[in-house]
Amino acid sequence: REVHRIIRELGITSIFVTHDQAEAFAIGDRVAVLHDGLLVQVDTPVGLYRRPANRWVAAFVGAGTLIPGDSDGSTALSALGRLELEAGSPHGPVDVLVRPEQVRLAPSTDDDAAIVGRVEFGGATTALEVHHGELVVAARVLGTAELVSGSLASAPVALGAFPVAITLVAFGGGVIMAVIKAGTLVVL
């Protein structure tokens, strides 16, 4: 953190190489992601998380579930219902990236309800694994006494998704490249 402060104060452009993703996101103004020796995406830490260039980057920079859907270019019909997509999304079959904090859960009495499986209390948040047929969705909710006591485990729930300031990304392929101008570039 001290190195980052000094670089900023002196206005130095630098390249920092690390395998620590948390460090890269904390100190990098822009982060370059390498995969099999190829540069696959350069973006801000927020941009990498919210708009990964492909499936591999999506999995590499954070937890999430790729949910199959059918897209009309602006929405996708999926097991989570109709999901709003980022502008210019591909048409036809897509995989929609839904991050755990985007998953919305509500009690359900529906015969087709999803079932909460694994529940892991983590203090401020609780990680859940929710099963809907063959689909397993990672969810993260605020840690509550109900989750700690296990009353939600095996409970039927209705699944949904909402943006929470994160764009739902539909993958049809493609790689994004960017030009580095100034600031700190961290290579993962």
Side-chain angles (χ1 to χ4, degrees):
R1 311 291 180 240
E2 184 67 14
V3 171
H4 186 242
R5 184 188 62 74
I6 292 168
I7 288 170
R8 277 196 179 274
E9 283 179 7
L10 297 176
I12 298 171
T13 297
S14 60
I15 296 177
F16 187 84
V17 179
T18 184
H19 293 282
D20 183 336
Q21 194 173 109
E23 182 177 48
F25 276 29
I27 69 169
D29 298 308
R30 308 219 8 116
V31 178
V33 179
L34 299 173
H35 179 59
D36 290 336
L38 298 173
L39 184 63
V40 292
Q41 186 171 356
V42 179
D43 207 335
T44 64
V46 172
L48 283 173
Y49 188 78
R50 292 184 179 174
R51 291 174 307 283
N54 58 39
R55 290 170 177 83
W56 187 87
V57 174
F60 183 70
V61 299
T65 305
L66 289 172
I67 298 175
D70 188 43
S71 170
D72 63 10
S74 61
T75 62
L77 187 57
S78 74
L80 297 185
R82 188 163 294 281
L83 304 174
E84 281 191 47
L85 301 175
E86 130 181 298
S89 291
H91 290 255
V94 294
D95 288 326
V96 180
L97 173 64
V98 177
R99 298 287 189 196
E101 63 274 16
Q102 291 176 280
V103 176
R104 178 177 34 116
L105 302 174
S108 176
T109 57
D110 188 7
D111 291 337
D112 190 35
I115 300 295
V116 175
R118 179 182 51 82
V119 176
E120 292 181 8
F121 178 70
T125 63
T126 297
L128 305 169
E129 190 173 84
V130 184
H131 301 263
H132 188 269
E134 297 293 315
L135 182 64
V136 179
V137 178
R140 188 178 313 120
V141 297
L142 292 178
T144 65
E146 293 80 28
L147 296 174
V148 176
S149 69
S151 64
L152 191 53
S154 300
V157 293
L159 266 176
F162 54 97
V164 188
I166 297 174
T167 304
L168 294 174
V169 181
F171 293 109
V175 174
I176 297 173
M177 299 288 283
V179 176
I180 303 303
K181 292 188 178 176
T184 302
L185 169 66
V186 178
V187 180
L188 280 174

